[in-house]
């Protein structure tokens, strides 16, 4: 039996790994609790056994993500979309573990963004993923990471898509919003994944914990909801499980936040990504 929450329910950022994790079983859990739509982000390349040497090496990671999204769409009342890009943590693996210069890592990662952009241009993916490390790095690595992020903004502006960002924990990322705007990308189409309930600059994709969601709901501002489910059997307690977003939507509805639910699952997805979660639910 499936719960019907009488609204689209979108998890804006999670991972699916049918090779190593739960894959479509996780999607089935999401659906049973009332979930309808997913934005599936490719796992970091190294977690799929891909040691990138050149930009085209990212293609296998992206193809695998597109395939699992097709399977997820078949299991959903609505549909799933891929979000493709380069995890910013790759810079440390390249520089610290493999001896790349920061500039070489920058160029390889920017090339990966270019490959991801091909998928968006072809209609095979919805948005790009980029960002910068959430931990301390050298000035040169920080500069390289910001350059990759700016490149993602430039590509997104050129092809008309959004960018999901992995960044340090912060409630003020106006520097990144300004960087996006400077290259012609609407800062509202820049999404900070793993956000708290308030954020200056980009659109927050709020981790679905009650205190964060309450702040977001009461802010009156656009926001999205996510779990960052990692689908890794070796890290079963990492972040939130696939049932969480529909459970939190039920809690928000029961708490009188109907308008905020519509904002997070209908209005903000339309404004940021250009997707219609209501129409795709009726197809």
């Amino acid at each position: 039996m499936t719960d019907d929450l009488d609204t689209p329910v979108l998890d804006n950022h999670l991972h699916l790994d049918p090779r190593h994790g739960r894959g479509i079983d996780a999607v089935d859990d999401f659906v049973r609790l009332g979930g309808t739509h997913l934005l599936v982000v490719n796992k970091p390349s190294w977690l799929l056994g891909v040691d990138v040497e050149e930009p085209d090496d990212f293609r296998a990671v992206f193809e695998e993500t597109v395939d699992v999204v097709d399977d997820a769409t078949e299991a959903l009342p609505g549909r799933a979309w891929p979000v493709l890009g380069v995890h910013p943590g790759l810079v440390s693996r390249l520089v610290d573990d493999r001896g790349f210069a920061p500039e070489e890592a920058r160029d390889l990662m920017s090339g990966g963004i270019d490959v991801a952009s091909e998928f968006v241009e072809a209609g095979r993916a919805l948005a790009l993923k980029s960002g910068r490390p959430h931990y301390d790095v050298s000035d040169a690595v920080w500069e390289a990471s910001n350059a990759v992020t700016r490149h993602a903004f430039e590509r997104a502006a050129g092809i008309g898509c959004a960018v999901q960002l992995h960044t340090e924990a912060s409630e003020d990322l106006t520097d990144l919003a300004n960087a996006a705007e400077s290259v012609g990308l609407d800062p509202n189409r820049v999404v900070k994944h793993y956000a708290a309930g308030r954020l200056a600059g980009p659109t927050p994709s709020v981790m679905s914990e009650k205190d964060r969601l309450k702040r977001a709901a009461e802010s009156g501002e656009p926001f999205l909801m996510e779990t960052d489910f990692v689908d890794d059997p070796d890290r079963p307690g990492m972040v939130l499980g696939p049932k969480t977003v529909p459970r939190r939507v039920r809690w928000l509805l029961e708490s009188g936040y109907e308008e905020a639910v519509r904002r997070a699952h209908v209005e903000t997805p339309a404004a940021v990504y250009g997707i219609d979660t209501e129409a795709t639910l009726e197809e």
Side-chain angles (χ1 to χ4, degrees):
M1 181 177 172
T2 299
D3 283 356
D4 184 1
L5 298 172
D6 199 29
T7 175
V9 174
L10 169 71
D11 189 332
N12 178 69
H13 184 111
L14 86 166
H15 308 275
L16 294 173
D17 188 345
R19 270 202 284 157
H20 309 105
R22 299 189 61 221
I24 300 304
D25 287 345
V27 179
D28 291 340
D29 280 351
F30 174 73
V31 170
R32 273 193 294 273
L33 272 290
T36 62
H37 295 78
L38 296 172
L39 263 59
V40 181
V41 183
N42 62 270
K43 292 188 81 166
S45 50
W46 63 90
L47 291 180
L48 293 177
V50 177
D51 288 327
V52 291
E53 302 283 351
E54 57 188 45
D56 213 49
D57 293 340
F58 288 100
R59 200 173 297 276
V61 176
F62 301 155
E63 289 286 0
E64 186 163 337
T65 306
V66 169
D67 286 346
V68 75
V69 165
D70 288 343
D71 293 340
T73 290
E74 291 186 14
L76 288 163
R79 60 162 296 180
W81 293 271
V83 176
L84 304 180
V86 181
H87 193 287
L90 178 62
V91 71
S92 297
R93 292 183 168 267
L94 294 174
V95 172
D96 297 343
D97 300 344
R98 297 175 57 190
F100 279 62
E103 297 77 15
E104 292 172 324
R106 174 200 66 203
D107 292 347
L108 177 56
M109 294 170 70
S110 293
I113 296 294
D114 291 337
V115 176
S117 299
E118 293 176 22
F119 282 75
V120 177
E121 283 191 286
R124 302 184 67 207
L126 180 68
L128 299 176
K129 174 195 174 173
S130 188
R132 59 195 185 194
H134 63 275
Y135 47 85
D136 289 339
V137 294
S138 69
D139 289 347
V141 167
W142 186 250
E143 186 177 319
S145 299
N146 278 311
V148 175
T149 304
R150 283 194 300 273
H151 185 68
F153 292 159
E154 290 168 353
R155 291 309 308 261
I159 60 180
C161 75
V163 180
Q164 284 199 18
L165 292 182
H166 174 114
T167 75
E168 73 277 12
S170 176
E171 293 192 355
D172 186 351
L173 290 175
T174 48
D175 68 313
L176 290 172
N178 292 339
E181 196 162 30
S182 73
V183 297
L185 179 63
D186 182 347
N188 293 323
R189 304 199 78 188
V190 177
V191 177
K192 173 171 168 45
H193 124 78
Y194 214 111
R198 281 186 292 266
L199 180 65
T203 298
S205 180
V206 179
M207 280 296 284
S208 295
E209 297 161 347
K210 288 182 178 180
D211 57 339
R212 297 186 189 212
L213 290 174
K214 190 168 187 291
R215 286 199 300 274
E218 293 176 353
S219 73
E221 298 294 323
F223 74 103
L224 298 151
M225 290 173 60
E226 69 166 81
T227 56
D228 192 26
F229 175 62
V230 296
D231 202 8
D232 184 342
D234 294 330
R235 298 185 293 166
M238 281 289 290
V239 291
L240 302 174
K243 299 177 183 178
T244 309
V245 166
R247 280 176 170 159
R248 294 293 184 261
V249 167
R250 178 176 294 283
W251 170 76
L252 285 167
L253 293 171
E254 290 172 348
S255 302
Y257 293 114
E258 293 91 349
E259 184 276 330
V261 168
R262 181 167 184 82
R263 201 179 341 135
H265 297 276
V266 178
E267 294 168 0
T268 306
V272 172
Y273 300 111
I275 57 177
D276 189 331
T277 55
E278 292 179 314
T280 48
L281 194 54
E282 294 165 2
E283 288 175 353

